[in-house]
Amino acid sequence: TSATRSPHPEMTHVPGTDRDQAVSELKFRDPVRARALIEALGRRTAELGRAPVSVMHVCGSHEQAIAKFGIRSTFPGGLNVIMGPGCPVCITDTPEVDEGVVLARQGVHIATYGDMVRVPGTSMSLADAQAEGAKIHVIYSAPQAVELARSTSDQVVFFATGFETTAVATAAVVLGGLPPNLSILSAHKYIPPVMEIVAEMPGTRVEGFLAAGHAATITGSAVFEPFVARHRLPVVVAGFEPLDILAGLVKLVELIRDRTPQVVNMFPRCVTRDGNLRAQEQLWRVFRPTGGRWRGIAHVPNGNLRLRDEFRSIDARRRFTIDLASLWDHAPSALTQSCICGDIMAGLSSPTDCTLFGQECTPEKPVGACMVSNEGACKIWHQYGGHPDLGGDA
Ligand code: SF4
C-alpha cells in the first residue's frame, strides 16, 4: 500500500516503531490524529483574523462522511463548509428524468441506479411509472445493464447517471460492445465545469474547494489547474476518511490564509497528477462534453456528457422517439415549487433553510431530489439530525 505517504504532518506525528507507524497510518479514523487536525484547523482559521471563511466540497460522499462521523460539530466557528452540487442524483435535471419516464411508459425496460427511481420528474418519477406497470430495474453497475439486456429480447435502456466516476464505467461497457437490444440514455455530468459556475455565481461566498478524491482518481489533480489559474481559488483533493477530510480542510485554509491559490493533492494514496489515463481515453472516446442544465443550478457549459456521433446507433435519444410534451401538460405541484434544492446545491442555502425540511419533505416522502439520494444534502442532514449546534468553537 502507499499509505506510508502522508499528506499532512498532523496525520503522522504519533510516535512508534516503523511497523507501528505503518500500521497506525492506516487508521484514518485515529482519534489522536483527528484531535491534532481539529486543533490545527482551529488555529489556521483563527490566523485568518477575519469574518467566517467559506469553502465548498463538491461531493455527496464528503458530506456523508462529515455528517456520519460528526465532523461538522468539530469545525471552528469561523469556518463554513458548504456542500455544493456534488450529488449526481440531485443534479440530474427534470427533463432527463422525464425522458426515462416517457420511455418506460412506452414499454421499454429501464435499468438505472437505485436512487434515480424515486427522483421526481415533471409529473412522476420512475417509481410512479413502475406502479403503473412500467418495467424498471435497479442496477448497481453498468455491466448489470448488459446482463439484463442479454436476458430478454425486449428493448432495454440504460438510464446512465452520475459524474465521471460512473461515466467511465458506462464508457467501458459501450466499448466492450452492447447487445443489440440495449441502448444508453446518458444523463452523465462532468464536475470541473460546474465549479466555474459556482465561482462566478453572484453572491457566492466560496473561497476554496475541497475536490472529491474518487473523481480525481480518474481525472487527475491537474484537471483543476486551469480553474485555479482563472479564478485564483485554491483546490485541495481529499479522500473520504475523517482524517482525509480534516487534513484537506487544514491545507485549504492554509492556502487561503497565505493567498497562494494552487491545486494540492491530499489523497496521494489514490490520486496522481495525471489520473487514470486509460480511463480518460475511454471516457472521451465514448462521450463528448456539451452544455446542458443541471437541476436547480443553471446551464453548465460542457457540464453534460453525451454519446459521440459514432455511437448514435446505441443512443436511446436517436433509437426512440421521446415525446416529452405528453408529460409536460402537467404543471409541477406547489410543494415542488417551494423546494430550494437548487440554492442548496449552489451553496447559497442550507437544508434547514427550507420550510419543508423534515415536515412536508422527508426521506419517506421526498418533495425534492436532495431528499431522495443518499448523497443529497437534505437526506444526509435529515438522517444525521440536521445541523449540529454545539455552541461555538470546538
Ligand atoms: Fe427540496 Fe425537500 Fe430539501 Fe426542501 S427539504 S430543499 S423540499 S429536497
Side-chain angles (χ1 to χ4, degrees):
T1 140
S2 58
T4 48
R5 281 183 290 172
S6 109
H8 203 279
E10 274 83 357
M11 292 178 82
T12 56
H13 85 302
V14 176
T17 64
D18 286 351
R19 185 181 172 282
D20 288 343
Q21 182 150 337
V23 171
S24 64
E25 280 180 345
L26 293 171
K27 294 180 181 172
F28 293 105
R29 302 175 187 184
D30 181 282
V32 175
R33 291 189 178 90
R35 215 163 289 125
L37 286 165
I38 290 164
E39 286 167 8
L41 189 56
R43 283 196 303 275
R44 302 295 188 280
T45 306
E47 285 161 10
L48 288 168
R50 57 181 170 83
V53 60
S54 295
V55 298
M56 176 178 276
H57 67 77
V58 196
C59 179
S61 301
H62 272 155
E63 185 64 24
Q64 259 190 347
I66 287 170
K68 177 178 174 183
F69 294 105
I71 299 173
R72 196 174 288 282
S73 65
T74 72
F75 292 157
L79 180 66
N80 187 20
V81 180
I82 305 165
M83 175 171 175
C87 162
V89 170
C90 308
I91 49 80
T92 301
D93 202 14
T94 306
E96 293 171 320
V97 177
D98 290 347
E99 289 177 306
V101 168
V102 168
L103 286 169
R105 294 174 95 195
Q106 287 175 14
V108 170
H109 292 256
I110 300 289
T112 193
Y113 298 121
D115 285 345
M116 279 313 303
V117 172
R118 296 175 68 216
V119 175
T122 300
S123 63
M124 66 170 66
S125 63
L126 287 168
D128 297 328
Q130 189 173 28
E132 288 183 352
K135 291 163 276 192
I136 311 295
H137 306 262
V138 171
I139 58 171
Y140 297 93
S141 68
Q144 283 187 309
V146 176
E147 285 171 29
L148 174 66
R150 289 201 174 116
S151 71
T152 176
S153 56
D154 295 345
Q155 286 291 327
V156 175
V157 170
F158 175 24
F159 182 26
T161 60
F163 298 121
E164 42 271 40
T165 38
T166 50
V168 291
T170 305
V173 296
V174 166
L175 293 173
L178 300 186
N181 61 333
L182 178 61
S183 55
I184 308 287
L185 178 65
S186 173
H188 283 304
K189 306 280 190 262
Y190 187 51
I191 281 277
V194 83
M195 290 169 59
E196 307 268 353
I197 297 289
V198 171
E200 291 166 7
M201 207 166 259
T204 186
R205 301 166 285 164
V206 178
E207 296 182 56
F209 285 87
L210 201 67
H214 49 19
T217 302
I218 307 292
T219 60
S221 60
V223 77
F224 301 111
E225 290 172 2
F227 170 85
V228 170
R230 230 179 341 262
H231 297 282
R232 310 289 300 158
L233 294 172
V235 175
V236 171
V237 177
F240 302 96
E241 291 290 343
L243 296 196
D244 288 322
I245 293 171
L246 287 167
L249 287 171
V250 171
K251 176 53 74 177
L252 191 54
V253 175
E254 281 175 4
L255 294 172
I256 295 169
R257 178 198 62 187
D258 299 341
R259 299 177 195 277
T260 50
Q262 56 184 278
V263 180
V264 176
N265 177 14
M266 295 289 283
F267 196 32
R269 65 187 187 277
C270 291
V271 175
T272 62
R273 184 174 181 278
D274 294 331
N276 184 331
L277 296 176
R278 180 160 164 71
Q280 289 170 35
E281 190 268 324
Q282 293 197 341
L283 178 69
W284 299 120
R285 191 137 60 96
V286 171
F287 292 106
R288 63 184 167 84
T290 183
R293 282 192 61 83
W294 290 32
R295 184 191 292 251
I297 302 280
H299 180 91
V300 180
N302 295 321
N304 284 4
L305 298 176
R306 294 292 182 260
L307 290 169
R308 290 189 179 277
D309 276 352
E310 62 200 274
F311 298 102
R312 68 171 71 82
S313 64
I314 58 160
D315 189 340
R317 292 186 176 91
R318 301 189 193 213
R319 185 175 291 188
F320 303 99
T321 301
I322 304 177
D323 176 19
L324 289 179
S326 62
L327 281 178
W328 289 356
D329 293 342
H330 306 269
S333 74
L335 277 181
T336 305
Q337 288 171 13
S338 304
C339 175
I340 60 165
C341 212
D343 284 352
I344 292 168
M345 287 187 288
L348 303 175
S349 300
S350 297
T352 43
D353 294 331
C354 177
T355 54
L356 307 184
F357 180 78
Q359 304 295 321
E360 289 90 343
C361 185
T362 62
E364 294 72 36
K365 283 187 67 178
V367 173
C370 294
M371 190 60 93
V372 173
S373 169
N374 287 327
E375 295 188 77
C378 297
K379 171 96 176 270
I380 294 169
W381 282 39
H382 192 275
Q383 183 177 0
Y384 292 102
H387 191 293
D389 180 2
L390 301 185
D393 292 6

